[in-house]
Amino acid sequence: MNPKITEHHRSKPAYVYVRQSTLAQVRHHQESTERQYALREKAQELGWSEPAIRILDRDLGMSGAQTTGRDDFKTLVAEVSMGQVGAVFALEASRLARSNLDWHRLLQLCALTETLVIDEDGCYDPADFNDGLLLGLKGAMAQAELHFLRARLLGGKLNKAKKGELRFPLPVGFRYDEENRIILDPDEEIRSAVGLVFRLFRETGTAFAVMQRFAESALRFPKRSYGGAWDGKIIWGRLTHGRVLGILKNPSYAGRYVFGRYHWCCEINPAGEIQKRMHAVAMANWHVSLPEHHEGYITWEEFLKNQERLDKNRTNGEETLLSGPAREGLALLQGLLLCGHCGRALTVRYTGNGGIYPCYQCNWLRREGLAGKDCLSFRCDLLDAAIVQEVLQTLQPAELELALAALQELEARDQILLRQWQMRLERAEYEAALAERRYQEVDPSQRLVAATLERRWNDALLQLEELKKQAAEFQRQEARVATPEQKAKVLALARDLPRLWHAPTTSSKDRKRMLRLLIKDITVEKPSAHEQLKQLLVHIRWQGGACSDLHLQRPPKIADRVRYPATVVDRVRDLAQRSSDGEIAESLNRDGQVSAHGKPFSVSMIEWIRYRYQIPKAVLIRPEELTVQQVTERFGVSPHVVYYWINRGVIQARRLNTGAPYWITLNETDEQKLRDWVRNSSRIQNGTASLNATGGSAL
């Protein structure tokens, strides 16, 4: 018996830790697994009973380089820290941990709780200096061994990859030949499907649109299976968005052999655990990049253009000012506009009922608290119409050439889609013929086998019939350019490009794509001069490098639209010096003038204009004329008496129109006559006295 093992240790359970690094080791290296399970018998020999021995084997197939995912190792550390373990059994130190940090933490806990560590070489007490030193060396050697193994393996792989001879699973569309060279897949249907992905991306510009086009045309895409009974087999299914991105970003399709596109990085998750994540490596840091290593589907230049287009399609990155593909919104210049003040991209805001009034605006400075208002904000239709007119004028000399090129593109696209369906039918016919041959070659006495083969034959025939119906339906719906009449219509329509542009069948997304083929970006700014604040200065940069400028007059604001023009105000000011409000309105109406809302002028409108622009009323009373109030005060009578005199013709008075005040003219004779009248009339005197007593006017 080992003197280090006491009854104190045997009174606690013994833990046997079983681990192997990968599932392949668990499957193919079972001798190591058996040796680790055999530690149970060793624990029994050292004095532990069968119930006191616990096996921890849930970490089989997990790497010991870290604790992430190793639940049994965490359980072991927790039990040791609580002093509930008498001894820890492991085949060697590397089975417990490949990391010095985890290994020394476990040894420290074992030393504090008087827990033994037992392996094939002996029994160790971590609390003893010599045993602790030896265990520490074993842990360091285990970690160094892991480094040496990794360095040797990766060095061999890298050396072979530099020669372009390292084999790895090829993407769909490629195969290895007898001499381990990478060649195009001999299956024409597979090559056509892969080539169609790149062709549709050149046409649509987005990976999602490629996926949609495959779904709309009911086309399948191949996928190679790895591992198991289907290892190396081609499975046809639906093309997903992730598959499209994987194909477009894979340099193998450009004929380049690449090694080191991804690498593992250690990160700390929110739970405090260390995890490994795979990160993409920049193209300049790839370990191996051999151009023209094998035949590809596209050129390297096209591959780089595809990466640039994918980066521009991203909408979650700040490194690109003009990002995002053409979308379905009404704003035609979305993603093409730059602010001439801050250099940021203009965004689109849809206002109005249902968002039918799109506006371009740059609010980055205001949003960041660096300014009190937006740099720019204006309706989309103003700039969109001007840019469209400029583009149509530029394209007039080349309309016919564009029409012919578009016609050829449509025909080529339809032929490719139809060819894809034809190859799919050929494959289905081959599978049906193969099922028929297998059924005919079977021994009739084998009834069970014959019944199964007959059922497979019937299924293949039914599938072939269904595919024929789908192919006929697709050809009827999707073959757009086939007859001479259709070609003539396309050519006639293309000769009138403005009509094609404004056709209801042309979507906003298609218009945006056409604009992006011609225009690289557009910079919009407001001139700083005060008299030019209502203008927009537009700088167009075309794809070929040419530049052109436009000056646009911004429409007035709603308040300015209903404001009376200066000519009308000046006319009212001039007429108000000698005419009344009614006469001014009649004069303006005779001249054909209308208000801001298109209505004839009225007295209330003239009054508002005079009030708004502080235009005084005309002084039309003569110097020798008196008002009714002045006559009342001069003779000490009530206004009713004065009106009585006017109505009876006793005094001379005039008025401009009905409702206007009276202006009275008195000479010396009339004035003396009225004074005598007032002095001799008792009724007027009584009325005046009553008026003075009551403070009112006499009736």
Side-chain angles (χ1 to χ4, degrees):
M1 300 299 292
N2 194 312
K4 296 181 181 179
I5 304 176
T6 63
E7 291 300 328
H8 171 73
H9 299 110
R10 295 189 183 95
S11 63
K12 299 178 182 180
Y15 280 61
V16 178
Y17 185 74
V18 181
R19 185 193 65 81
Q20 283 187 273
S21 298
T22 62
L23 293 176
Q25 292 180 355
V26 177
R27 178 181 298 178
H28 302 294
H29 301 164
Q30 299 182 2
E31 292 80 5
S32 177
T33 308
E34 293 177 1
R35 291 175 60 197
Q36 295 183 67
Y37 278 111
L39 293 174
R40 175 193 293 270
E41 288 75 14
K42 185 173 183 178
Q44 293 178 355
E45 294 175 359
L46 295 177
W48 274 275
S49 62
E50 179 68 23
I53 301 174
R54 300 180 184 178
I55 304 295
L56 302 178
D57 57 359
R58 290 188 300 171
D59 292 347
L60 281 171
M62 305 295 296
S63 173
Q66 56 188 10
T67 59
T68 303
R70 292 202 293 158
D71 296 332
D72 270 353
F73 182 77
K74 296 177 182 178
T75 301
L76 175 64
V77 173
E79 295 291 335
V80 170
S81 64
M82 291 186 293
Q84 299 179 2
V85 181
V88 177
F89 286 80
L91 193 63
E92 55 189 10
S94 62
R95 300 300 176 184
L96 287 170
R98 288 280 190 179
S99 171
N100 277 337
L101 177 63
D102 300 333
W103 175 247
H104 285 286
R105 182 185 295 114
L106 178 61
L107 293 182
Q108 186 177 11
L109 292 175
C110 291
L112 293 175
T113 58
E114 300 181 357
T115 304
L116 301 178
V117 177
I118 303 174
D119 60 9
E120 281 194 331
D121 297 329
C123 178
Y124 308 94
D125 183 5
D128 183 74
F129 174 77
N130 294 325
D131 290 352
L133 179 61
L134 184 57
L135 289 174
L137 290 175
K138 283 193 171 186
M141 291 301 297
Q143 186 172 11
E145 180 186 12
L146 185 64
H147 170 74
F148 295 147
L149 291 175
R150 182 184 293 109
R152 291 169 185 170
L153 293 175
L154 293 180
K157 289 179 64 176
L158 181 59
N159 184 64
K160 200 167 186 178
K162 289 180 179 179
K163 298 183 293 184
E165 298 176 357
L166 180 64
R167 292 190 55 163
F168 47 80
L170 293 176
V172 65
F174 292 102
R175 282 185 179 273
Y176 287 109
D177 61 2
E178 295 79 4
E179 300 178 0
N180 287 334
R181 293 178 302 182
I182 301 176
I183 60 173
L184 298 182
D185 199 300
D187 194 326
E188 184 182 358
E189 185 178 7
I190 296 177
R191 297 198 310 270
S192 179
V194 175
L196 184 59
V197 170
F198 292 103
R199 181 183 181 87
L200 291 178
F201 184 74
R202 287 193 296 268
E203 179 182 336
T204 60
T206 64
F208 188 79
V210 174
M211 181 202 69
Q212 283 186 320
R213 190 68 63 84
F214 264 78
E216 292 171 357
S217 303
L219 297 178
R220 304 180 304 166
F221 194 80
K223 178 182 180 182
R224 180 172 287 112
S225 177
Y226 296 100
W230 291 87
D231 187 23
K233 301 289 184 180
I234 292 295
I235 302 174
W236 291 85
R238 183 176 62 88
L239 179 63
T240 61
H241 182 246
R243 290 291 309 281
V244 178
L245 290 176
I247 293 172
L248 295 174
K249 294 182 178 181
N250 197 329
S252 297
Y253 289 102
R256 180 166 292 225
Y257 183 92
V258 174
F259 177 76
R261 293 173 56 205
Y262 300 93
H263 71 100
W264 292 94
C265 292
C266 293
E267 297 178 353
I268 300 178
N269 61 9
E273 298 178 345
I274 299 177
Q275 290 183 342
K276 281 189 175 182
R277 294 185 181 274
M278 184 174 290
H279 291 267
V281 178
M283 190 179 302
N285 298 328
W286 290 348
H287 296 304
V288 178
S289 181
L290 304 178
E292 300 180 0
H293 178 267
H294 54 272
E295 185 181 358
Y297 288 85
I298 58 175
T299 62
W300 181 249
E301 290 73 17
E302 184 177 354
F303 173 79
L304 296 179
K305 290 181 180 179
N306 291 343
Q307 306 315 303
E308 183 180 359
R309 180 174 292 184
L310 289 175
D311 291 338
K312 289 184 177 181
N313 287 349
R314 294 182 56 188
T315 57
N316 59 344
E318 296 184 357
E319 61 275 4
T320 54
L321 290 176
L322 302 177
S323 62
R327 303 185 182 276
E328 294 80 4
L330 298 177
L332 295 180
L333 304 179
Q334 167 258 336
L336 294 176
L337 298 178
L338 290 172
C339 177
H341 177 61
C342 66
R344 297 280 175 172
L346 269 69
T347 57
V348 182
R349 293 293 181 270
Y350 290 89
T351 60
N353 187 11
I356 60 176
Y357 299 117
C359 296
Y360 297 123
Q361 67 174 356
C362 177
N363 60 353
W364 184 82
L365 292 177
R366 180 178 59 83
R367 190 172 66 248
E368 296 295 328
L370 302 177
K373 61 179 181 179
D374 297 340
C375 298
L376 287 173
S377 181
F378 54 91
R379 286 275 296 271
C380 293
D381 49 5
L382 170 66
L383 186 57
D384 289 353
I387 296 298
V388 168
Q389 183 179 1
E390 187 76 10
V391 169
L392 294 179
Q393 291 179 356
T394 305
L395 290 179
Q396 282 181 359
E399 287 183 1
L400 188 56
E401 290 78 1
L402 288 175
L404 294 175
L407 186 59
Q408 295 174 359
E409 183 70 19
L410 290 174
E411 290 179 338
R413 184 183 64 184
D414 289 340
Q415 290 298 327
I416 290 177
L417 295 179
L418 291 177
R419 178 56 183 161
Q420 197 71 21
W421 272 99
Q422 290 175 2
M423 290 186 292
R424 185 176 179 183
L425 288 175
E426 290 176 4
R427 184 179 296 275
E429 291 173 353
Y430 166 76
E431 293 176 354
L434 180 62
E436 181 183 2
R437 288 197 305 270
R438 289 174 177 173
Y439 171 73
Q440 292 175 353
E441 293 173 359
V442 72
D443 188 356
S445 61
Q446 297 288 340
R447 295 183 178 180
L448 296 178
V449 178
T452 301
L453 294 178
E454 183 181 8
R455 184 173 62 254
R456 292 179 180 176
W457 183 22
N458 291 332
D459 293 341
L461 291 176
L462 291 175
Q463 185 177 4
L464 176 60
E465 188 66 25
E466 181 66 22
L467 282 178
K468 288 182 178 179
K469 293 180 180 178
Q470 294 179 6
E473 181 68 17
F474 171 78
Q475 187 173 4
R476 184 180 63 84
Q477 294 181 357
E478 299 295 332
R480 299 178 179 86
V481 182
T483 63
E485 292 79 7
Q486 291 175 329
K487 295 180 181 180
K489 289 181 180 179
V490 171
L491 288 174
L493 184 61
R495 289 190 184 96
D496 188 5
L497 189 58
R499 187 158 59 97
L500 175 63
W501 179 275
H502 298 292
T505 55
T506 305
S507 63
S508 298
K509 191 173 184 179
D510 293 333
R511 296 189 182 100
K512 293 179 183 181
R513 288 174 180 168
M514 287 188 276
L515 288 177
R516 292 176 181 227
L517 292 176
L518 300 170
I519 299 176
K520 189 171 185 179
D521 57 57
I522 301 172
T523 303
V524 185
E525 60 176 327
K526 291 190 299 185
S528 57
H530 179 71
E531 63 273 7
Q532 296 178 346
L533 288 178
K534 295 183 179 180
Q535 292 184 356
L536 285 178
L537 183 57
V538 182
H539 308 279
I540 306 174
R541 186 166 60 157
W542 303 87
Q543 290 289 357
C547 298
S548 59
D549 297 336
L550 292 177
H551 292 269
L552 301 180
Q553 188 71 26
R554 300 181 65 181
K557 298 180 179 180
I558 185 63
D560 295 332
R561 295 180 206 167
V562 299
R563 184 175 289 116
Y564 291 100
T567 56
V568 174
V569 176
D570 293 340
R571 181 72 186 282
V572 171
R573 181 177 286 106
D574 180 62
L575 293 175
Q577 297 178 2
R578 57 184 180 277
S579 304
S580 63
D581 294 345
E583 293 175 343
I584 295 174
E586 292 179 1
S587 177
L588 293 177
N589 292 332
R590 283 196 305 268
D591 296 341
Q593 299 281 351
V594 293
S595 66
H597 295 283
K599 298 180 180 179
F601 282 95
S602 61
V603 175
S604 60
M605 294 180 185
I606 303 301
E607 291 177 350
W608 163 253
I609 293 175
R610 289 195 303 99
Y611 168 76
R612 173 64 180 80
Y613 296 97
Q614 298 181 356
I615 301 175
K617 296 182 67 174
V619 180
L620 303 179
I621 187 172
R622 298 169 184 170
E624 67 275 8
E625 292 179 335
L626 301 174
T627 63
V628 173
Q629 184 64 28
Q630 291 175 339
V631 174
T632 301
E633 294 175 356
R634 176 175 291 189
F635 294 100
V637 298
S638 68
H640 296 282
V641 175
V642 178
Y643 287 121
Y644 175 82
W645 290 340
I646 294 173
N647 294 332
R648 296 300 181 183
V650 177
I651 57 179
Q652 297 179 1
R654 71 181 182 92
R655 64 194 306 186
L656 297 178
N657 49 49
T658 304
Y662 285 102
W663 296 328
I664 304 169
T665 302
L666 295 177
N667 51 30
E668 295 180 359
T669 304
D670 294 336
E671 186 172 353
Q672 185 61 39
K673 178 182 177 181
L674 293 177
R675 291 187 183 280
D676 295 340
W677 191 328
V678 171
R679 186 174 55 253
N680 298 328
S681 175
S682 59
R683 185 175 180 181
I684 294 176
Q685 293 177 357
N686 293 335
T688 302
S690 176
L691 177 63
N692 295 332
T694 60
S697 59
L699 297 178

